[in-house]
């Protein structure tokens, strides 16, 4: 197994990915209606399995829901009972996360759509023993990549780090890695960007 790990380390080659950047899904559009004691949120172009959350300014999740129907999501919320402070809706889709901030003060809810932020997730595609990674970083935010390989030692499995790098200073991140065909097994890749962590597992 040790030889497999060594081969995997030697077999990783970083090459320029000249293919055009991945075509991202339609941009989420939304509408908010504030009425007495009730806020109605409507989000277009959602998919079943997308996540909707309400979080406070410290990132603590106050509400979480898995959207069960594709199309337009509409729901009313009573946000007036929240303590005074800053909050945000978070819409977690396939390749993007959109945050919609709002404030509560003396039971009055206020939204500022201009402060809505869209963050793009890294996208991993696997073709044979090649890993293709793309990500939009419109704010030049860096992306950290850590690749691990599963090993079995003394009857228990663990993941050993076999490659690590940080990419920054570009709006379109594109990477391709080639793994040793003999290093078959389970891999884990961890992406870190904008204080968020994304983890994926794959086999070759």
């Amino acid at each position: 197994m040790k030889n497999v790990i060594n081969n995997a380390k030697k077999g990783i080659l970083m090459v320029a990915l000249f293919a055009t950047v991945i075509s991202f899904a339609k941009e989420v559009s939304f509408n908010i209606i504030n009425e007495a004691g009730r806020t109605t949120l409507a989000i277009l172009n959602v998919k079943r399995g997308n996540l909707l959350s309400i979080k406070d300014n410290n990132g603590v999740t106050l509400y979480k829901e898995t959207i069960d129907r594709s199309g337009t999501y509409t729901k009313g919320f009573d946000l007036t009972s929240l303590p005074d402070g800053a909050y945000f809706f978070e819409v977690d889709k396939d390749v993007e996360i959109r945050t919609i901030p709002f404030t509560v003060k003396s039971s009055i809810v206020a939204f500022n759509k201009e402060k809505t932020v869209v963050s793009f997730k890294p996208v991993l595609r696997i073709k044979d023993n090649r890993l293709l990674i793309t990500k939009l970083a419109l704010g030049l935010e860096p992306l950290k990549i850590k690749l691990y390989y599963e090993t079995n030692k003394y009857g228990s499995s663990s993941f050993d780090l076999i490659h690590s790098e940080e990419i920054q200073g570009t709006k379109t991140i594109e990477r391709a890695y080639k793994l040793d065909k003999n290093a078959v097994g389970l891999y884990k890749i961890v992406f870190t960007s904008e204080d968020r962590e994304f983890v994926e597992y794959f086999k070759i």
Side-chain angles (χ1 to χ4, degrees):
M1 186 59 66
K2 182 177 180 181
N3 291 334
V4 172
I5 294 299
N6 289 336
N7 289 337
K9 289 180 180 178
K10 294 175 182 177
I12 295 178
L13 301 175
M14 187 175 69
V15 298
L17 179 61
F18 294 109
T20 55
V21 69
I22 185 171
S23 176
F24 287 97
K26 289 182 179 179
E27 185 175 295
V28 178
S29 58
F30 65 93
N31 187 36
I32 295 170
I33 300 175
N34 256 337
E35 299 174 330
R38 185 179 180 85
T39 298
T40 300
L41 174 68
I43 310 172
L44 303 181
N45 301 321
V46 296
K47 290 183 180 180
R48 183 178 180 180
N50 291 167
L51 299 177
L52 174 70
S53 305
I54 299 175
K55 299 183 178 182
D56 67 16
N57 211 33
N58 295 317
V60 177
T61 301
L62 308 176
Y63 174 84
K64 190 172 184 178
E65 176 186 354
T66 300
I67 296 173
D68 61 5
R69 183 185 301 176
S70 299
T72 299
Y73 168 94
T74 304
K75 189 166 187 174
F77 297 89
D78 181 5
L79 305 175
T80 60
S81 60
L82 291 172
D84 289 0
Y87 304 87
F88 58 91
F89 281 98
E90 181 178 272
V91 185
D92 190 337
K93 291 177 62 68
D94 293 339
V95 296
E96 70 175 36
I97 298 174
R98 182 176 297 253
T99 57
I100 308 167
F102 65 92
T103 58
V104 178
K105 187 175 182 180
S106 301
S107 298
I108 296 176
V109 182
F111 285 84
N112 187 343
K113 292 185 178 181
E114 293 181 356
K115 292 186 178 180
T116 298
V117 176
V118 179
S119 300
F120 291 95
K121 298 180 183 180
V123 177
L124 172 67
R125 292 175 291 168
I126 302 169
K127 185 176 181 181
D128 299 324
N129 64 323
R130 290 181 179 272
L131 313 182
L132 308 178
I133 296 169
T134 55
K135 183 185 182 303
L136 289 181
L138 301 182
L140 299 179
E141 57 273 11
L143 174 67
K144 294 180 181 178
I145 301 173
K146 290 186 177 181
L147 181 62
Y148 299 83
Y149 181 78
E150 185 184 37
T151 61
N152 289 290
K153 299 176 181 178
Y154 311 110
S156 62
S157 63
S158 63
F159 284 92
D160 289 346
L161 180 66
I162 59 174
H163 180 73
S164 177
E165 72 169 304
E166 180 174 345
I167 306 165
Q168 53 187 331
T170 178
K171 292 184 177 181
T172 302
I173 295 172
E174 299 174 319
R175 283 292 188 272
Y177 303 97
K178 184 178 180 181
L179 300 179
D180 189 330
K181 291 182 178 180
N182 295 319
V184 297
L186 181 64
Y187 291 79
K188 178 175 76 170
I189 189 164
V190 179
F191 301 102
T192 306
S193 181
E194 299 179 272
D195 296 322
R196 298 180 186 271
E197 185 175 274
F198 307 93
V199 181
E200 293 195 41
Y201 296 85
F202 62 91
K203 289 183 177 181
I204 66 166

